[in-house]
Amino acid sequence: FLLYALLFMLNQLVFDEPSSEYDNPLRFILGVIVLLFVLRFPPKEHFLWFGIGLGGVITGCWALWEKIAIGSGRVSAHTNPIHYGNLSILLGLLCLVGIGWAYRKQSGRLPWILFMVAGSILGLFASGLSGSRGGWVSLVFVIAYILLNYRGLLSRKALISAAAIIPVLLVVLFLIPQTGVKQRVTAIGHDLSQYSQGHTLTSVGGRLELWRGNIMLIKEKPFFGWGESGYTEKMAELTEKKVINPINVSHAHYEVLDTASKRGLVGLVGLACLYGAHRREGRGD
């Protein structure tokens, strides 16, 4: 966390970015303090998993209420539907991990398992109702990784049942027109078809143009990148010259490309360490 924050801040200093840009790396420094506090005063497992399970249940109930009572096209919980959807899918997957913890309990196992299953299903359901397609890409890989790590804990029957729940849930979300999932999925094919014909001003087309622009920036400055301000200015220049045609100049919607274009290979080192640390932590659980 500190390495990532320091490399991030070094890039800000090199490019003389405004003080507001230090907000993001500061969060990781504060995260170190929180992690040290949690290591010194670890929370009770029951409280931790209850909070995660409750979060999954509440986000699912909120999504259903917003969809049915308010009639929202894409559930957003009064924020950004992409952020909301990805937080919901995170809660759902954490609840899926929590099923393994509940299974190992000596007493009260069944209520905890049912609670975690409910949190997992409702969390993933909320993500579906948000229409945030980016998070869905990770589902197959993350769920496969979780089940792989549980192969020595759960019986084959339990693993097959857990693996079957997710596809069934996704099919249900897809087949019910009111969820909007089918429209969001079919829109991908339509956008790709439009992009192949030169029409870039669609959701998918706009992102592909951003990726194309980011790759151009990386080729020009591969080691230290362009910085936040330089990135925005260069992308705007490419757009103005009709080299690329995104809907708007923004985050690349792909963290690796975004980091490489703004902070170069130096920034990618910090990002790789951050991802690697998460992976090692997951392997140790």
Side-chain angles (χ1 to χ4, degrees), residues 136-152:
W136 303 347
V137 178
S138 67
L139 269 179
V140 175
F141 304 101
V142 176
I143 292 171
Y145 179 78
I146 292 172
L147 295 178
L148 183 67
N149 278 270
Y150 279 165
R151 67 187 186 279

Side-chain angles (χ1 to χ4, degrees), residues 17-90:
E17 301 287 358
S19 58
S20 60
E21 295 296 338
Y22 288 88
D23 172 54
N24 283 326
L26 181 61
R27 297 179 192 184
F28 288 88
I29 294 174
L30 295 174
V32 171
I33 298 172
V34 172
L35 286 172
L36 290 173
F37 179 84
V38 171
L39 286 171
R40 180 65 180 83
F41 304 101
K44 299 287 186 181
E45 283 187 340
H46 293 74
F47 288 110
L48 180 65
W49 286 112
F50 179 77
I52 292 171
L54 187 63
V57 170
I58 288 176
T59 194
C61 291
W62 175 275
L64 288 169
W65 178 82
E66 189 175 327
K67 189 72 177 180
I68 297 170
I70 300 179
S72 299
R74 291 180 64 186
V75 174
S76 64
H78 304 297
T79 179
N80 185 303
I82 296 174
H83 296 165
Y84 173 71
N86 287 335
L87 285 171
S88 295
I89 203 172
L90 175 61

Side-chain angles (χ1 to χ4, degrees), residues 147-188:
L147 295 178
L148 183 67
N149 278 270
Y150 279 165
R151 67 187 186 279
L153 174 65
L154 303 176
S155 65
R156 172 177 283 188
K157 184 178 179 181
L159 285 172
I160 293 173
S161 299
I165 289 174
I166 308 302
V168 169
L169 175 63
L170 295 176
V171 170
V172 169
L173 284 170
F174 184 83
L175 293 178
I176 299 176
Q178 289 78 7
T179 64
V181 172
K182 184 176 181 178
Q183 294 91 320
R184 294 287 292 167
V185 172
T186 53
I188 297 173

Side-chain angles (χ1 to χ4, degrees), residues 24-280:
N24 283 326
L26 181 61
R27 297 179 192 184
F28 288 88
I29 294 174
L30 295 174
V32 171
I33 298 172
V34 172
L35 286 172
L36 290 173
F37 179 84
V38 171
L39 286 171
R40 180 65 180 83
F41 304 101
K44 299 287 186 181
E45 283 187 340
H46 293 74
F47 288 110
L48 180 65
W49 286 112
F50 179 77
I52 292 171
L54 187 63
V57 170
I58 288 176
T59 194
C61 291
W62 175 275
L64 288 169
W65 178 82
E66 189 175 327
K67 189 72 177 180
I68 297 170
I70 300 179
S72 299
R74 291 180 64 186
V75 174
S76 64
H78 304 297
T79 179
N80 185 303
I82 296 174
H83 296 165
Y84 173 71
N86 287 335
L87 285 171
S88 295
I89 203 172
L90 175 61
L91 283 168
L93 291 172
L94 286 173
C95 287
L96 192 61
V97 175
I99 295 172
W101 168 81
Y103 187 82
R104 288 192 295 263
K105 281 181 61 62
Q106 298 300 316
S107 60
R109 176 190 297 180
L110 184 59
W112 275 103
I113 290 176
L114 293 176
F115 181 51
M116 288 298 167
V117 168
S120 181
I121 292 174
L122 286 168
L124 295 174
F125 199 80
S127 175
L129 292 180
S130 74
S132 303
R133 297 171 299 196
W136 303 347
V137 178
S138 67
L139 269 179
V140 175
F141 304 101
V142 176
I143 292 171
Y145 179 78
I146 292 172
L147 295 178
L148 183 67
N149 278 270
Y150 279 165
R151 67 187 186 279
L153 174 65
L154 303 176
S155 65
R156 172 177 283 188
K157 184 178 179 181
L159 285 172
I160 293 173
S161 299
I165 289 174
I166 308 302
V168 169
L169 175 63
L170 295 176
V171 170
V172 169
L173 284 170
F174 184 83
L175 293 178
I176 299 176
Q178 289 78 7
T179 64
V181 172
K182 184 176 181 178
Q183 294 91 320
R184 294 287 292 167
V185 172
T186 53
I188 297 173
H190 175 266
D191 289 359
L192 287 173
S193 175
Q194 290 289 301
Y195 187 75
S196 66
Q197 298 172 32
H199 304 294
T200 63
L201 299 181
T202 61
S203 177
V204 175
R207 293 191 185 197
L208 290 175
E209 285 295 283
L210 278 175
W211 292 1
R212 196 159 67 89
N214 272 260
I215 291 171
M216 292 177 186
L217 266 62
I218 293 167
K219 288 179 178 178
E220 287 191 47
K221 292 187 178 182
F223 295 105
F224 297 103
W226 293 80
E228 294 284 344
S229 301
Y231 168 85
T232 304
E233 292 171 6
K234 186 64 177 178
M235 288 291 284
E237 179 187 325
L238 291 174
T239 304
E240 188 177 344
K241 292 180 178 179
K242 306 297 183 183
V243 177
I244 60 172
N245 190 29
I247 296 176
N248 54 58
V249 176
S250 63
H251 187 284
H253 291 280
Y254 180 31
E255 195 62 36
V256 173
L257 279 181
D258 194 77
T259 299
S261 58
K262 293 175 182 176
R263 293 179 284 282
L265 288 173
V266 175
L268 278 178
V269 169
L271 185 66
C273 291
L274 192 65
Y275 286 167
H278 276 290
R279 190 171 63 176
R280 286 194 298 272

